[in-house]
Amino acid sequence: MPEYGYFLSCEEFGPAELVEQARMAEQAGFTALWISDHYHPWNDAQGQSPFVWSVIGALSEAVSLPIETAVTCPTVRIHPAVVAQAAATSAVMTNGRFRLGVGSGEALNEHILGHVWPPAHIRLEMLEESIQVMRRLFTGEEVNHHGTHYTVENARLYTVPDEPVPIDISGFGPAATALASRVGDGYITMMPDESMVEQYRKGGGAGKPVSGGTKVCYGTDRAECVRTVRKLWFNQFLPGEMGQILPSPSHFEQLGPLVTEDMVTEKTVCGDDVDEHVSALSAFADAGFDRIYVNQIGPDQRGFFDFYRTKVLPQLQQG
């Protein structure tokens, strides 16, 4: 039976709110946490973007749940040697309950220092090399690395967990999924796509965890929920590579009018129909996912956690 976790959104909530949501998630019966790693929100209406590593430190004291970044880009904005130190410290603070989720990133977060934003195939090359660097550093031994994209000299992590931090790789297409199959400790994706899970497991990921996530908007007024999703998360309905190449929240806002309420209604669970919420998460279970994370869009967090604690999670756990 899959595990069900809660997905903390750093784009929509400040540090104290995220910590309180984590507490509510644990009390509601969720068994794990994801947390996003962003420098910017997707749009100004979301309105937040705290430094994820500070929040993880607070979470390690507030809850006993496993925590994973979903996902960190360890390639451009932050050098992989520094990400390795942050991940190792997080693993120590959580007594080994931390996993590092990584991906090839978006210009929205990664271009801020003025570096060129590479094409997708180069970003995957950089991601693979960054994973090699981080794994060597997790051993606690001194590392010297002179690679295609990164240089590390005389670097050693002195604070490391007993076991190396597991690195799960995010993939939304065949190339990234193939990389996850080849070098990842697990696989992350955001669609209940059985064919991608099958590609991952046949390509070398057999026996390793597959995790997926989705967003919903619980509330007693379905129409209001639809409006909330369109206002705060219209970006997730934009097609193609726009999510990877647009550099600022204002660029995403320019495309907001392309997203209609009908698109939101078709693709997002909105309202308080128990069966719809159960069906959305069960789709991941049916596709072979091991861990399934859900995020509540909007301000009614307490209502969401009460709803899932009393009505949704009990049904999922029976299945």
Side-chain angles (χ1 to χ4, degrees):
M1 183 179 296
E3 295 181 46
Y4 293 94
Y6 187 70
F7 190 176
L8 298 164
S9 171
C10 283
E11 303 94 318
E12 196 180 335
F13 297 98
E17 295 171 300
L18 294 167
V19 171
E20 180 58 26
Q21 289 169 22
R23 290 193 182 102
M24 290 191 288
E26 187 166 33
Q27 293 165 2
F30 289 99
T31 59
L33 296 172
W34 263 3
I35 184 166
S36 57
D37 180 357
H38 269 236
Y39 193 89
H40 293 137
W42 295 97
N43 56 71
D44 282 355
Q46 291 175 352
Q48 293 286 340
S49 205
F51 188 54
V52 71
W53 303 105
S54 301
V55 180
I56 289 170
L59 293 173
S60 73
E61 293 295 310
V63 297
S64 62
L65 299 179
I67 302 166
E68 178 166 19
T69 53
V71 291
T72 294
C73 179
T75 60
V76 176
R77 171 172 48 108
I78 303 180
H79 192 284
V82 180
V83 174
Q85 185 184 27
T89 299
S90 298
V92 170
M93 293 185 72
T94 57
N95 295 313
R97 291 179 285 107
F98 178 77
R99 298 179 76 93
L100 178 62
V102 300
S104 59
E106 306 95 14
L108 176 70
N109 300 303
E110 304 304 320
H111 85 291
I112 58 168
L113 302 180
H115 300 301
V116 172
W117 183 236
H121 71 284
I122 299 297
R123 300 201 304 269
L124 288 177
E125 283 182 13
M126 296 172 72
L127 181 60
E128 182 168 6
E129 186 176 335
S130 76
I131 291 168
Q132 294 170 358
V133 169
M134 292 188 294
R135 285 205 170 118
R136 290 180 63 190
L137 286 164
F138 290 152
T139 65
E141 299 175 358
E142 184 176 297
V143 173
N144 289 280
H145 174 88
H146 297 273
T148 303
H149 302 288
Y150 302 105
T151 297
V152 179
E153 291 185 351
N154 308 117
R156 178 184 171 190
L157 297 182
Y158 280 80
T159 300
V160 293
D162 293 335
E163 299 292 333
V165 179
I167 300 176
D168 299 339
I169 300 176
S170 172
F172 301 102
T177 302
L179 176 63
S181 301
R182 189 158 44 82
V183 303
D185 295 312
Y187 176 52
I188 292 171
T189 192
M190 296 297 287
M191 294 293 293
D193 188 331
E194 187 174 0
S195 66
M196 301 298 285
V197 175
E198 184 177 354
Q199 180 194 341
Y200 171 72
R201 291 197 165 126
K202 286 185 175 179
K208 298 176 182 179
V210 174
S211 301
T214 190
K215 291 180 177 292
V216 303
C217 188
Y218 162 80
T220 55
D221 185 333
R222 182 185 180 91
E224 180 63 25
C225 289
V226 170
R227 289 191 291 270
T228 296
V229 174
R230 184 174 181 272
K231 174 185 176 183
L232 294 175
W233 284 94
F234 64 84
N235 57 280
Q236 67 182 348
F237 305 102
L238 297 175
E241 290 188 73
M242 284 185 281
Q244 284 72 51
I245 64 175
L246 295 179
S248 74
S250 63
H251 289 95
F252 284 93
E253 288 165 4
Q254 291 170 21
L255 299 178
L258 298 177
V259 177
T260 66
E261 290 187 3
D262 286 344
M263 292 167 67
V264 173
T265 301
E266 180 184 346
K267 296 183 178 180
T268 308
V269 174
C270 294
D272 60 355
D273 185 308
V274 177
D275 291 340
E276 287 186 15
H277 285 263
V278 170
S279 178
L281 273 66
S282 295
F284 286 89
D286 294 342
F289 284 72
D290 303 296
R291 298 169 184 169
I292 303 158
Y293 297 79
V294 60
N295 169 256
Q296 162 70 358
I297 294 173
D300 192 6
Q301 297 291 316
R302 189 165 296 281
F304 164 86
F305 285 115
D306 286 344
F307 177 64
Y308 266 66
R309 175 179 57 82
T310 59
K311 296 183 178 180
V312 178
L313 289 178
Q315 284 202 36
L316 291 168
Q317 288 157 355
Q318 288 174 5

